[in-house]
Amino acid sequence: MDEELTLDPIDWKALRLSFQIAADLCISNMEAVREGPVWEPTPDRVKAHFKEALPQEGASLNTLLRDFEENILPYGTGNGHPRFWGWVHGSGSAAGALAEMLAGFMNSNVGGRDHIANYVERQVIDWCKDIFNFPASASGILTSGTSMGTLIALNVARNEKAGADVQALGVSAGRRMVGYASAEAHGCNSKAFDLLGLGRQSLRMIAVDDRFRLKPETLRENISADKAAGFQPFVVIASVGTVNTGAIDDLVAIADICRAEGLWLHIDGAFGGLARLTGRFRAELEPMSLADSIAFDFHKWFHVPYDAGCVIIKDEVAHRGAFSARREYLQSTESGLAGGAPWFCDYGPELSRGFRALKVWFTLKSYGIKRLAALIEQNCTQAKKLEALVQAAPDLELCAPVHLNIVCFRMVFDKDGKATDALNKQIVALLQTEGIAAPSTTTINGETVIRVCITNHRTRSDDLTLLVSETRRLGVLINSQDVNLGA
Ligand SMILES: *Cc1c(COP(=O)(O)O)cnc(C)c1O
C-alpha cells in the first residue's frame, strides 16, 4: 500500500536531536558573542552559495544546520555584539528567541477568531496602554515596526480629520490634507503620507532649534499659512527620540497647538518612547499620554527579536472604523472558533498575522519592566560617559548635544571640511570592516559625523573607551597615509 505524504518526520527522536544541535549552536554563539568580530562582510564564496537552483529534493535538517552554521550564522548584522551602535538596533535576547521558536510551533494566525494568541496580544496591548498612560478604552495592534504603526495611525487620523468620506471616495473628495513633523523626523512618516495618497510634500518639515527639536512657533505659522491657502491641516507628528541625535520634541507645546487647531497628535516614539519608564525621563515624557496615537518598537530598546512594533490609538471606534471591512466569509459568531470579536484584522490592513505577541510577552515576563528600564537608563548613562570621553580628547569634537542615548562626534585635523568628512567616513568603515565596532555615520549641520546609538544591553563602559582609542588610532593612521600619498 502506498504511503500518503506528510511533512512530519518518520524518526521523531532524530528530530529532537536536531533541535538540541540547533539550540546548542545558537546558545554557544550568543555566549561567545563578545569574543568575535562585531561584523564581517559576507565573502563572495558565501554569496555564490545563495545562487542555487530551486531545490527539487529535500535535505536533512542536520545538513541544513551545518549550512546555517557555516554560511549564515557568522554573517549577520552584528547587532548582538556589545560594540554594535549603528542606526537604531536592538540587541536581542534569549527569552525572545525561545518564544520565537515556540510561536513557530503554535503557527497561530492572529488575524482573528477565538484562540489564545489574541488574548496574549490583547494583554501586551493593555501593558502598552499602561506604559503610556492611555485609557483602558484605547486600542492597539502589534506591527512589524514603527513604519507600519505610523501608516495605521495616520490612516485613522486622515479619516477622522478629512471632513469628507475619504475612506469611501478617496482623498480627492476633500480638501488637500497637510501635516507637520520636524525636519529631523524619520522618513517613514513621509512614506506613510505617500501610501495614504496624500503626497510626500504634504508633510511639512518644520525647522528645528539648536537642540534639534521642532520649533513650536514655526509650526503655528505653517498651520496658519496652510489654512489661509485653503488646505486642511490634520496631524502633527512629534518625535520622541530622533534618529540623528535623539532629540525629543516639546510635547506640551505641540499638544497645545493640536488642541487649539483641532489637529491629531501622533507621536513617533520608535525607540525613545520607552525611556518614559526610566526615572530620568519620566517627567519629560509624561505628556506622551496627551497623544491621539503612539507608534513604537519592541525590537529596539526592549530587545525583542525582529520584528516587533506597536501602535496604540486612543479612540478605539475611530481605529476600528478605519480598518473593519469584513466580507461574508469572515463574519464573527457569538460562540465557536469564529467568536472572540473584535478581531485584529479590524485594526490594521493585514488579515493573516503571526504570533508576534508571544516574544514580547516572554520578554516582559522574563526580565520584568524594572530591569528593562534600568538597561535603558544604563545606555543613557553610557552616552554621557562617551560624551565626556569625546570632550576630553583634543582631536575629537562633539557635534550635537547628548540628551538620550545618541552621541555624534568627529575627529578633526587641521584640514578642510571635505577632507574631514572623508576621514570620518573612513574611520567608521575601518571600525566596521575590522570588526572592532559598528557605529554609523550621519550628517549634522552639513558635516559627516560618527554616530553612536546605544540601544544595547551588552555594552559596557570599557567598550566605549575602546571605541574612542580605536577611533583616534585609525584617524591618525588614515591621516598619515593621506600625507604620504600626497607627498
Ligand atoms: C526605527 C525608527 C523608525 C522606523 O521603525 P521600524 O521599526 O524600523 O519600522 C521610525 N522612527 C524612528 C525615530 C526610528 O528610530
Side-chain angles (χ1 to χ4, degrees), residues 88 145-147 186 188 241 243 268 270-271 297 299-300:
V88 190
T146 293
S147 301
H186 194 272
C188 73
V243 178
D268 176 351
F271 66 99
D297 285 322
H299 56 215
K300 287 175 176 168

Side-chain angles (χ1 to χ4, degrees), residues 142 157 167 279 334 348 382 417 470:
L142 297 198
Q167 186 175 35
E334 281 297 311
Q382 288 166 338
E470 287 295 282

Side-chain angles (χ1 to χ4, degrees), residues 375-439:
L375 284 163
I376 291 173
E377 189 138 1
Q378 175 170 292
N379 284 161
C380 297
T381 304
Q382 288 166 338
K384 280 289 174 194
K385 273 184 196 156
L386 178 56
E387 177 189 37
L389 290 172
V390 166
Q391 283 171 327
D395 44 9
L396 298 181
E397 81 182 9
L398 196 69
C399 302
V402 178
H403 186 56
L404 202 57
N405 63 326
I406 296 177
V407 184
C408 292
F409 66 99
R410 58 196 234 138
M411 188 146 183
V412 274
F413 285 110
D414 197 12
K415 284 184 160 189
D416 64 47
K418 258 206 187 115
T420 306
D421 283 353
L423 171 75
N424 283 281
K425 268 184 206 155
Q426 275 178 284
I427 291 173
V428 168
L430 277 179
L431 284 169
Q432 292 173 356
T433 52
E434 294 197 357
I436 299 166

Side-chain angles (χ1 to χ4, degrees), residues 319-354:
H319 188 183
R320 190 152 36 88
F323 291 102
S324 182
R326 284 202 241 153
R327 303 292 297 271
E328 59 284 1
Y329 46 80
L330 284 177
Q331 290 311 307
S332 305
T333 52
E334 281 297 311
S335 59
L337 190 49
W343 292 354
F344 279 102
C345 65
D346 300 325
Y347 293 115
E350 295 166 313
L351 176 56
S352 297
R353 301 166 62 247

Side-chain angles (χ1 to χ4, degrees), residues 80-96:
H81 195 283
R83 287 191 297 279
F84 188 100
W85 305 300
W87 305 276
V88 190
H89 279 68
S91 35
S93 80

